[in-house]
Every structure is written in structure tokens, then in C-alpha cells.
Amino acid sequence: MTPHQHNLITTPITAGLLRGALELERTEHGLLPHRLPAWARAQNTDPQLAMVESQPSGVRLVLRTRATVIELDTLPTKRAYAGAPPARTASTT
């Protein structure tokens, strides 16, 4: 086997592999972690709380492996932030 060949195993992400999320919602794009349960989200009338709950910061994937390669497919939901400085690019020097 050459260094670029790997025996890849696909492992679905389940609630047991996530920390910081109380619920996982299945969507057409994959899994959406929620920091509040559905019954609490349904009662919410505060737009700021809805915005914070929809941002899964603090949700993390926890695993132990001997793998030398891990691939995680994600869907970026925010690419630019108003008032934030432009993203830095890696230096080539």
C-alpha cells in the first residue's frame, strides 16, 4: 500500500459521539446539533436566544482513534461577519 492509499471506514455521527448538543435534528443536508431541546425551542420568542441556539459553538465531536486520516464533511453556514476584519491568508514566505 502506498502512503496515499487508505482503508477508509465510514462511521455515522450519533449523539454518543457529540458533546454539548442536547438534540440532533436530521435535515436534507445532514445533522444539525441543537443546544436546547425541541420543547424549549418551541416556547422561544426571543430572537437573540434563537440566534445563539442555532449556532453550535461548544458542540464538539469526541472520539479516540489510531487513524492517520480523518475526514469530516461539513456545511458552512456563515462565511462573512459584518464588521470583522477580512480573513488572513497563509503566508508563502
Side-chain angles (χ1 to χ4, degrees):
M1 180 165 31
T2 69
H4 298 291
Q5 292 176 328
H6 302 281
N7 293 323
L8 300 180
I9 299 170
T10 299
T11 303
I13 295 177
T14 62
L17 295 175
L18 290 177
R19 301 295 184 271
L22 290 179
E23 280 186 2
L24 287 178
E25 177 184 351
R26 293 201 179 275
T27 72
E28 64 183 76
H29 299 293
L31 296 175
L32 176 62
H34 288 283
R35 295 166 54 191
L36 291 175
W39 65 265
R41 293 191 313 270
Q43 297 177 38
N44 177 36
T45 59
D46 181 359
Q48 186 170 3
L49 179 62
M51 179 194 67
V52 170
E53 192 284 328
S54 71
Q55 299 172 0
S57 61
V59 175
R60 58 216 175 274
L61 185 62
V62 177
L63 56 101
R64 182 178 296 181
T65 182
R66 291 183 185 183
T68 57
V69 174
I70 296 176
E71 179 179 299
L72 181 63
D73 296 325
T74 62
L75 177 66
T77 57
K78 184 106 176 165
R79 296 179 190 264
Y81 296 90
R88 290 193 254 171
T89 59
S91 175
T92 58
T93 57

